[in-house]
mmCIF file of all heavy atoms in Angstrom:
data_model
loop_
_atom_site.group_PDB
_atom_site.id
_atom_site.type_symbol
_atom_site.label_atom_id
_atom_site.label_comp_id
_atom_site.label_asym_id
_atom_site.label_seq_id
_atom_site.Cartn_x
_atom_site.Cartn_y
_atom_site.Cartn_z
ATOM 1 N N TRP A 333 112.543 62.793 80.049
ATOM 2 C CA TRP A 333 111.961 64.059 79.604
ATOM 3 C C TRP A 333 113.011 64.988 79.022
ATOM 4 O O TRP A 333 112.795 65.605 78.004
ATOM 5 C CB TRP A 333 111.223 64.733 80.768
ATOM 6 C CG TRP A 333 109.921 64.055 81.040
ATOM 7 C CD1 TRP A 333 109.581 62.795 80.662
ATOM 8 C CD2 TRP A 333 108.805 64.579 81.713
ATOM 9 N NE1 TRP A 333 108.320 62.506 81.077
ATOM 10 C CE2 TRP A 333 107.806 63.590 81.731
ATOM 11 C CE3 TRP A 333 108.539 65.807 82.313
ATOM 12 C CZ2 TRP A 333 106.576 63.786 82.312
ATOM 13 C CZ3 TRP A 333 107.314 66.000 82.907
ATOM 14 C CH2 TRP A 333 106.333 64.999 82.905
ATOM 15 N N ARG A 345 108.411 73.118 67.110
ATOM 16 C CA ARG A 345 107.620 72.163 66.336
ATOM 17 C C ARG A 345 106.343 72.758 65.774
ATOM 18 O O ARG A 345 105.854 72.326 64.745
ATOM 19 C CB ARG A 345 107.233 70.990 67.228
ATOM 20 C CG ARG A 345 108.423 70.145 67.551
ATOM 21 C CD ARG A 345 107.945 68.826 68.042
ATOM 22 N NE ARG A 345 108.968 68.227 68.875
ATOM 23 C CZ ARG A 345 108.885 67.023 69.350
ATOM 24 N NH1 ARG A 345 107.814 66.311 69.120
ATOM 25 N NH2 ARG A 345 109.844 66.535 70.094
ATOM 26 N N SER A 346 105.783 73.701 66.502
ATOM 27 C CA SER A 346 104.490 74.202 66.051
ATOM 28 C C SER A 346 104.623 75.457 65.199
ATOM 29 O O SER A 346 103.667 75.877 64.565
ATOM 30 C CB SER A 346 103.602 74.515 67.259
ATOM 31 O OG SER A 346 104.195 75.534 68.014
ATOM 32 N N VAL A 360 90.863 85.066 77.934
ATOM 33 C CA VAL A 360 89.496 84.782 77.532
ATOM 34 C C VAL A 360 88.665 85.984 77.944
ATOM 35 O O VAL A 360 88.526 86.267 79.129
ATOM 36 C CB VAL A 360 88.947 83.531 78.267
ATOM 37 C CG1 VAL A 360 87.536 83.230 77.829
ATOM 38 C CG2 VAL A 360 89.848 82.342 78.019
ATOM 39 N N ILE A 365 94.226 83.576 82.333
ATOM 40 C CA ILE A 365 94.468 82.317 83.038
ATOM 41 C C ILE A 365 95.953 82.007 82.901
ATOM 42 O O ILE A 365 96.483 81.929 81.789
ATOM 43 C CB ILE A 365 93.606 81.174 82.451
ATOM 44 C CG1 ILE A 365 92.136 81.577 82.514
ATOM 45 C CG2 ILE A 365 93.840 79.868 83.209
ATOM 46 C CD1 ILE A 365 91.299 81.009 81.414
ATOM 47 N N SER A 381 68.689 72.529 82.741
ATOM 48 C CA SER A 381 67.548 73.387 82.374
ATOM 49 C C SER A 381 68.008 74.834 82.465
ATOM 50 O O SER A 381 69.036 75.140 83.080
ATOM 51 C CB SER A 381 66.371 73.177 83.338
ATOM 52 O OG SER A 381 66.723 73.707 84.608
ATOM 53 N N GLY A 396 82.461 84.800 93.232
ATOM 54 C CA GLY A 396 83.812 85.112 92.747
ATOM 55 C C GLY A 396 84.296 84.284 91.570
ATOM 56 O O GLY A 396 85.433 84.454 91.125
ATOM 57 N N ILE A 399 84.331 82.102 85.373
ATOM 58 C CA ILE A 399 83.969 81.284 84.209
ATOM 59 C C ILE A 399 82.919 80.263 84.636
ATOM 60 O O ILE A 399 83.017 79.679 85.723
ATOM 61 C CB ILE A 399 85.234 80.594 83.626
ATOM 62 C CG1 ILE A 399 86.243 81.673 83.183
ATOM 63 C CG2 ILE A 399 84.874 79.660 82.474
ATOM 64 C CD1 ILE A 399 87.560 81.165 82.658
ATOM 65 N N ARG A 429 75.649 83.412 79.848
ATOM 66 C CA ARG A 429 76.748 84.359 79.615
ATOM 67 C C ARG A 429 76.204 85.768 79.442
ATOM 68 O O ARG A 429 76.728 86.738 80.012
ATOM 69 C CB ARG A 429 77.555 83.956 78.388
ATOM 70 C CG ARG A 429 78.606 85.000 78.035
ATOM 71 C CD ARG A 429 79.525 84.577 76.927
ATOM 72 N NE ARG A 429 78.779 84.071 75.793
ATOM 73 C CZ ARG A 429 79.278 83.249 74.880
ATOM 74 N NH1 ARG A 429 80.508 82.820 74.991
ATOM 75 N NH2 ARG A 429 78.550 82.850 73.879
ATOM 76 N N GLY A 433 77.673 87.766 82.308
ATOM 77 C CA GLY A 433 79.003 88.190 81.853
ATOM 78 C C GLY A 433 80.074 87.133 82.074
ATOM 79 O O GLY A 433 81.239 87.350 81.733
ATOM 80 N N GLU A 439 82.307 71.104 77.149
ATOM 81 C CA GLU A 439 83.056 70.026 76.484
ATOM 82 C C GLU A 439 82.611 69.783 75.048
ATOM 83 O O GLU A 439 81.411 69.808 74.742
ATOM 84 C CB GLU A 439 82.908 68.731 77.303
ATOM 85 C CG GLU A 439 83.626 67.553 76.668
ATOM 86 C CD GLU A 439 83.894 66.392 77.613
ATOM 87 O OE1 GLU A 439 83.625 66.512 78.825
ATOM 88 O OE2 GLU A 439 84.380 65.349 77.124
ATOM 89 N N TYR A 466 92.928 61.642 69.236
ATOM 90 C CA TYR A 466 93.855 62.516 68.522
ATOM 91 C C TYR A 466 93.199 63.268 67.366
ATOM 92 O O TYR A 466 93.591 64.386 67.051
ATOM 93 C CB TYR A 466 95.074 61.716 68.055
ATOM 94 C CG TYR A 466 95.792 61.091 69.235
ATOM 95 C CD1 TYR A 466 96.008 59.724 69.301
ATOM 96 C CD2 TYR A 466 96.208 61.878 70.312
ATOM 97 C CE1 TYR A 466 96.635 59.155 70.409
ATOM 98 C CE2 TYR A 466 96.827 61.316 71.415
ATOM 99 C CZ TYR A 466 97.038 59.955 71.460
ATOM 100 O OH TYR A 466 97.646 59.408 72.553
ATOM 101 N N LEU A 469 91.584 66.191 68.970
ATOM 102 C CA LEU A 469 92.603 67.200 69.327
ATOM 103 C C LEU A 469 93.061 67.973 68.095
ATOM 104 O O LEU A 469 93.215 69.197 68.126
ATOM 105 C CB LEU A 469 93.807 66.531 69.997
ATOM 106 C CG LEU A 469 93.551 65.826 71.333
ATOM 107 C CD1 LEU A 469 94.822 65.162 71.830
ATOM 108 C CD2 LEU A 469 93.008 66.806 72.378
ATOM 109 N N LEU A 493 101.137 65.902 78.100
ATOM 110 C CA LEU A 493 101.865 66.939 77.376
ATOM 111 C C LEU A 493 101.982 66.614 75.887
ATOM 112 O O LEU A 493 102.012 67.526 75.054
ATOM 113 C CB LEU A 493 103.244 67.153 78.014
ATOM 114 C CG LEU A 493 103.127 67.874 79.365
ATOM 115 C CD1 LEU A 493 104.431 67.784 80.148
ATOM 116 C CD2 LEU A 493 102.738 69.336 79.172
ATOM 117 N N ALA A 502 98.849 71.602 65.754
ATOM 118 C CA ALA A 502 97.763 71.843 64.798
ATOM 119 C C ALA A 502 97.425 73.329 64.712
ATOM 120 O O ALA A 502 96.531 73.728 63.965
ATOM 121 C CB ALA A 502 96.534 71.032 65.179
ATOM 122 N N PRO A 505 97.980 77.268 70.374
ATOM 123 C CA PRO A 505 98.827 77.288 71.562
ATOM 124 C C PRO A 505 98.077 77.703 72.833
ATOM 125 O O PRO A 505 98.654 77.775 73.903
ATOM 126 C CB PRO A 505 99.875 78.344 71.196
ATOM 127 C CG PRO A 505 99.132 79.296 70.310
ATOM 128 C CD PRO A 505 98.048 78.534 69.618
ATOM 129 N N THR A 516 93.889 54.947 90.658
ATOM 130 C CA THR A 516 94.914 54.202 91.401
ATOM 131 C C THR A 516 94.192 53.071 92.131
ATOM 132 O O THR A 516 92.981 52.889 91.958
ATOM 133 C CB THR A 516 95.610 55.103 92.443
ATOM 134 O OG1 THR A 516 94.661 55.446 93.462
ATOM 135 C CG2 THR A 516 96.169 56.372 91.827
ATOM 136 N N HIS A 538 105.077 75.472 79.866
ATOM 137 C CA HIS A 538 104.768 76.890 80.093
ATOM 138 C C HIS A 538 103.276 77.127 80.201
ATOM 139 O O HIS A 538 102.821 78.255 80.300
ATOM 140 C CB HIS A 538 105.313 77.720 78.929
ATOM 141 C CG HIS A 538 104.783 77.254 77.613
ATOM 142 N ND1 HIS A 538 103.679 77.813 77.030
ATOM 143 C CD2 HIS A 538 105.177 76.245 76.823
ATOM 144 C CE1 HIS A 538 103.428 77.154 75.904
ATOM 145 N NE2 HIS A 538 104.323 76.199 75.762
ATOM 146 N N ALA A 548 88.198 64.593 91.165
ATOM 147 C CA ALA A 548 89.206 63.876 91.944
ATOM 148 C C ALA A 548 88.562 63.287 93.198
ATOM 149 O O ALA A 548 88.712 62.102 93.488
ATOM 150 C CB ALA A 548 90.341 64.818 92.305
ATOM 151 N N PRO A 578 72.192 69.625 94.753
ATOM 152 C CA PRO A 578 73.099 68.528 94.388
ATOM 153 C C PRO A 578 72.443 67.142 94.467
ATOM 154 O O PRO A 578 72.744 66.274 93.651
ATOM 155 C CB PRO A 578 74.243 68.660 95.397
ATOM 156 C CG PRO A 578 74.249 70.099 95.767
ATOM 157 C CD PRO A 578 72.819 70.542 95.724
ATOM 158 N N GLU A 586 76.902 63.804 93.862
ATOM 159 C CA GLU A 586 77.601 63.531 95.132
ATOM 160 C C GLU A 586 78.815 64.435 95.311
ATOM 161 O O GLU A 586 79.225 64.730 96.422
ATOM 162 C CB GLU A 586 78.088 62.070 95.236
ATOM 163 C CG GLU A 586 77.152 60.997 94.712
ATOM 164 C CD GLU A 586 77.174 60.900 93.197
ATOM 165 O OE1 GLU A 586 78.254 60.638 92.643
ATOM 166 O OE2 GLU A 586 76.127 61.104 92.566
ATOM 167 N N MET A 598 84.962 79.420 98.692
ATOM 168 C CA MET A 598 85.641 80.583 98.112
ATOM 169 C C MET A 598 86.147 81.513 99.224
ATOM 170 O O MET A 598 87.276 82.020 99.154
ATOM 171 C CB MET A 598 84.687 81.324 97.179
ATOM 172 C CG MET A 598 84.311 80.548 95.939
ATOM 173 S SD MET A 598 85.674 80.322 94.785
ATOM 174 C CE MET A 598 85.645 81.878 93.910
ATOM 175 N N ASP A 600 86.878 80.678 102.283
ATOM 176 C CA ASP A 600 87.966 80.010 103.006
ATOM 177 C C ASP A 600 89.267 79.972 102.209
ATOM 178 O O ASP A 600 90.343 79.804 102.781
ATOM 179 C CB ASP A 600 87.559 78.577 103.383
ATOM 180 C CG ASP A 600 86.444 78.576 104.430
ATOM 181 O OD1 ASP A 600 86.156 79.655 104.997
ATOM 182 O OD2 ASP A 600 85.853 77.506 104.671
ATOM 183 N N ALA A 612 104.858 84.684 96.392
ATOM 184 C CA ALA A 612 105.335 84.914 95.022
ATOM 185 C C ALA A 612 106.109 86.228 94.894
ATOM 186 O O ALA A 612 106.791 86.458 93.903
ATOM 187 C CB ALA A 612 104.148 84.912 94.062
ATOM 188 N N GLY A 623 126.165 91.805 101.308
ATOM 189 C CA GLY A 623 125.819 91.902 102.733
ATOM 190 C C GLY A 623 126.973 91.409 103.589
ATOM 191 O O GLY A 623 128.015 90.985 103.088
#
Side-chain angles (χ1 to χ4, degrees):
W333 285 20
R345 290 197 204 186
S346 63
V360 181
I365 303 149
S381 69
I399 300 177
R429 174 174 49 203
E439 179 161 354
Y466 301 124
L469 297 177
L493 288 166
T516 67
H538 56 94
E586 320 78 60
M598 293 291 278
D600 292 349

